[in-house]
Amino acid sequence: MSKLWIQNGTIVNPSGAALQGRHDILIENGRIQAIAPELPAADVEGAEIVDALGCHVMPGFFDLHVHLREPGQEYKEDIASGTLAAVHGGYTAVCCMPNTDPVIDNPALLSFIREKASAADHCKVYPVAAITKGLKGEELSEMGLLLEAGAVAFSDDGKPVADPQRMRLACQYAKNFDALLMLHCEDKALAGSGVMHEGYYSVTLGLAGIPAASEAAMVARDLLIAESYGTRIHICHVSTEQSIALIRAAKARGVRVTCETAPHYFAATDEWVELSGYDSNVKMNPPLRSARDRDAIIEALADGTIDAIATDHAPHHQDEKRVEFNIALNGIVGLETAYSLAVTHLVMPGKLTPEQLVDRMSAAPRRILGLEGAEIAEGAPADLTIAKPDADVVYTAAGLHSKSKNSPFLERPYFGKIQQTIVEGVAKI
């Protein structure tokens, strides 16, 4: 395997890591071999040079929550196109959600995903298997066999485990393996027929609202059940101030809970539905929330209550989005825009330090899954993201590498541009 020599870059490790600042990095055989302000000429002889002048060199971004749509909905995205989008967004690894067709609830499909990811050879893919077979919320999947086959966690994402008795059994079963349950927390009865956040704008726009309590009520239920059995749970796409308060209190009393939010929840609010003229690219689930919720999200990212930033990358064909707001499908693509949104809305205003951002996008996801590579160090995996944080960038539909283009963040100016993504010592863009 060829050698890579990263020159002139500024290493940004998570907060608390010993190594920060200006260093060169030598990569060989998929690992970081040496780090120094200046590497000996003999060590770097014959190495391919990557000039990182003016750039941050960070542990590779890791997305806990991505919909790659394969198998079954390849017209929206497939593993090859989704992972190509990932590396262009700085991601060296992603977790793919199981709400495919067929559902990822058996070892054969886990093998299929791994083979497809290996053939595409863009970034690492860690499959998440279903909590219940077929995502029907009834019969539990065979967690032991699925873990042996390569599942890293379990989720019915897109749907909550609505039956509290089924959720109790899932927690008991998962605890036997110390498996992680990644939970979509939504009380469907409370959400009703809502299509956006319930508040001022839903009233003035004449759209049915989804109350913040529809998320928080299920967060509270799942926290209590998981606490009863000591099960590890991870709350997906947290969007409300109420949910944050519940999670913060649960962490304080020792509940084994982590959580994530998505860039759109700190970069936009429900006002965007009005400002966009009912553009369905601002329709998602959970919906864009109030400015107060957004501010609570940012505060929770800063104080560590929210562990990770995950994109909830949800590609849809234009025919599923260019329809009336009420009937458009939920979700947006997010892999390629996440870093810029984070730099623009979190780092530039001083809400997060670069080191904190690296923790939320790189280190925390690995810690949650128990994987190595949470910081740049000699001997660590050579999975790195190189980005220029002060570079101007504007995203366009034509410039996205995802098959789908459903994003409200196109044609807008941002800061933060991915320059290179290195996976197992190989430069990918």
Side-chain angles (χ1 to χ4, degrees):
M1 185 177 290
S2 63
K3 295 193 290 188
L4 278 183
W5 177 15
I6 301 174
Q7 295 180 332
N8 305 315
T10 298
I11 291 176
V12 181
N13 262 322
S15 303
L19 185 61
Q20 308 279 2
R22 166 68 181 84
H23 290 81
D24 285 2
I25 301 172
L26 177 64
I27 296 169
E28 192 171 9
N29 299 321
R31 293 260 166 183
I32 296 172
Q33 297 298 321
I35 303 174
E38 186 174 348
L39 293 167
D43 290 353
V44 297
E45 184 177 357
E48 178 186 349
I49 295 173
V50 176
D51 188 1
L53 183 66
C55 294
H56 287 174
V57 183
M58 301 167 280
F61 297 161
F62 192 118
D63 197 335
L64 286 166
H65 193 143
V66 168
H67 300 274
L68 295 180
R69 303 302 189 200
E70 188 175 11
Q73 295 180 321
E74 289 85 354
Y75 68 96
K76 301 185 186 194
E77 192 81 283
D78 56 35
I79 291 169
S81 66
T83 53
L84 180 62
V87 294
H88 278 85
Y91 288 94
T92 60
V94 301
C95 289
C96 62
M97 289 291 126
N99 58 338
T100 50
D101 185 15
V103 170
I104 302 171
D105 61 6
N106 62 78
L109 280 174
L110 291 171
S111 295
F112 169 83
I113 290 165
R114 290 201 310 274
E115 289 170 6
K116 283 283 189 174
S118 177
D121 195 25
H122 296 308
C123 74
K124 300 173 183 178
V125 176
Y126 295 90
V128 176
I131 295 174
T132 65
K133 292 183 178 180
L135 304 183
K136 295 179 179 179
E138 298 169 356
E139 185 180 357
L140 295 179
S141 64
E142 296 172 323
M143 291 185 186
L145 292 177
L146 291 166
L147 287 168
E148 290 177 0
V152 294
F154 298 89
S155 180
D156 275 6
D157 186 62
K159 298 179 180 180
V161 180
D163 183 344
Q165 174 71 351
R166 198 66 58 226
M167 183 61 193
R168 181 178 76 89
L169 294 173
C171 283
Q172 289 178 305
Y173 191 23
K175 179 63 188 305
N176 289 330
F177 306 101
D178 199 30
L180 179 68
L181 301 182
M182 302 178 70
L183 303 175
H184 175 113
C185 290
E186 179 187 17
D187 187 313
K188 291 286 190 180
L190 274 175
S193 59
V195 295
M196 68 171 293
H197 175 65
E198 182 182 81
Y200 171 83
Y201 292 103
S202 66
V203 173
T204 59
L205 295 173
L207 294 172
I210 301 172
S214 66
E215 175 181 297
M218 194 66 81
V219 168
R221 188 206 73 170
D222 289 350
L223 286 170
L224 290 170
I225 296 173
E227 183 176 16
S228 298
Y229 300 101
T231 307
R232 291 196 300 138
I233 62 169
H234 177 82
I235 310 298
C236 296
H237 42 58
V238 171
S239 70
T240 75
E241 182 183 28
Q242 292 173 323
S243 298
I244 291 165
L246 290 163
I247 293 165
R248 186 177 283 123
K251 286 187 170 189
R253 64 178 188 267
V255 180
R256 302 176 73 195
V257 58
T258 55
C259 66
E260 69 190 44
T261 194
H264 36 278
Y265 298 121
F266 59 71
T269 67
D270 56 341
E271 184 183 11
W272 280 45
V273 182
E274 178 181 73
L275 295 176
S276 68
Y278 297 89
D279 181 3
S280 65
N281 285 327
V282 298
K283 185 183 180 188
M284 55 209 68
N285 187 29
L288 295 177
R289 299 292 188 180
S290 70
R292 179 168 173 166
D293 291 309
R294 176 204 57 203
D295 293 345
I297 291 285
I298 293 172
E299 180 185 353
L301 280 167
D303 70 21
T305 300
I306 295 178
D307 301 87
I309 296 170
T311 65
D312 196 7
H313 177 79
H316 291 299
H317 190 272
Q318 62 179 355
D319 291 347
E320 298 165 325
K321 278 293 196 178
R322 291 184 181 176
V323 294
E324 294 88 340
F325 195 91
N326 278 335
I327 62 174
L329 295 184
N330 289 306
I332 64 171
V333 293
L335 284 165
E336 296 175 74
T337 57
Y339 175 69
S340 297
L341 293 176
V343 169
T344 303
H345 291 279
L346 300 176
V347 177
M348 288 296 186
K351 304 296 185 181
L352 263 66
T353 65
E355 293 79 13
Q356 287 175 312
L357 181 62
V358 167
D359 182 80
R360 310 305 185 258
M361 294 187 71
S362 299
R366 289 179 170 86
R367 288 198 304 269
I368 289 167
L369 295 177
L371 301 173
E372 64 176 342
E375 64 181 75
I376 296 173
E378 291 184 358
D383 295 332
L384 304 173
T385 301
I386 302 174
K388 190 169 287 188
D390 57 356
D392 297 327
V393 61
V394 175
Y395 295 97
T396 65
L400 294 182
H401 295 82
S402 172
K403 284 186 179 181
S404 296
K405 316 299 178 183
N406 50 306
S407 170
F409 301 116
L410 305 181
E411 307 295 345
R412 299 171 182 267
Y414 295 103
F415 292 105
K417 183 176 177 60
I418 301 299
Q419 300 292 109
Q420 184 57 265
T421 304
I422 296 170
V423 181
E424 294 184 340
V426 178
K428 294 295 182 179
I429 61 174

